[in-house]
Amino acid sequence: MSQRFAFQWRRLDPIAPWLLAAAVLWLCWQIAAVIWLIAAPPQPPYARDIALTQQQQAATPNISGFSLFKVERAELPDRQQPSAMSVPMQLQGVMISRPMSGSSAVI
């Protein structure tokens, strides 16, 4: 092999300590990740079933008069109220998901 194309390792001497420190830090990081996988393995998320009873439904607060931005609403006379307000409705349950388009409610 000719001397002209030979790689000279002496050029790496100034950065060798930095390369060694980076390699040691990476190795410590990987060892810590393996230890955490052994000590506390990841658990899959699970949904808990919650059975609603009559007592729990009665304990649900009435939020129909709640106003997020404290807007004062004037009471409408009986002739101006929409007909949908006269239909008795009761919220039975809510299913929240991401994205929000998958959320639903049981009325």
Side-chain angles (χ1 to χ4, degrees):
M1 202 190 266
S2 86
Q3 289 288 351
R4 193 170 58 172
F5 296 112
F7 182 75
Q8 295 185 7
W9 290 98
R10 299 260 179 219
R11 291 184 183 177
L12 295 178
D13 282 349
I15 62 168
W18 295 104
L19 291 175
L20 179 64
V24 168
L25 284 174
W26 178 81
L27 184 63
C28 290
W29 187 276
Q30 294 303 314
I31 291 172
V34 169
I35 289 172
W36 274 111
L37 280 175
I38 294 170
Q43 300 292 326
Y46 64 94
R48 296 180 299 198
D49 292 332
I50 300 174
L52 294 178
T53 62
Q54 291 290 38
Q55 292 83 13
Q56 288 174 333
Q57 287 179 357
T60 304
N62 183 8
I63 61 169
S64 62
F66 178 73
S67 177
L68 183 62
F69 298 106
K70 298 292 181 190
V71 176
E72 297 296 328
R73 290 187 266 169
E75 291 297 324
L76 296 175
D78 289 336
R79 59 182 173 83
Q80 291 182 348
Q81 288 185 351
S83 62
M85 297 300 286
S86 62
V87 176
M89 300 176 86
Q90 184 179 9
L91 180 64
Q92 296 292 325
V94 177
M95 180 66 113
I96 301 172
S97 72
R98 291 195 183 207
M100 292 178 67
S101 61
S103 299
S104 61
V106 178
I107 299 176

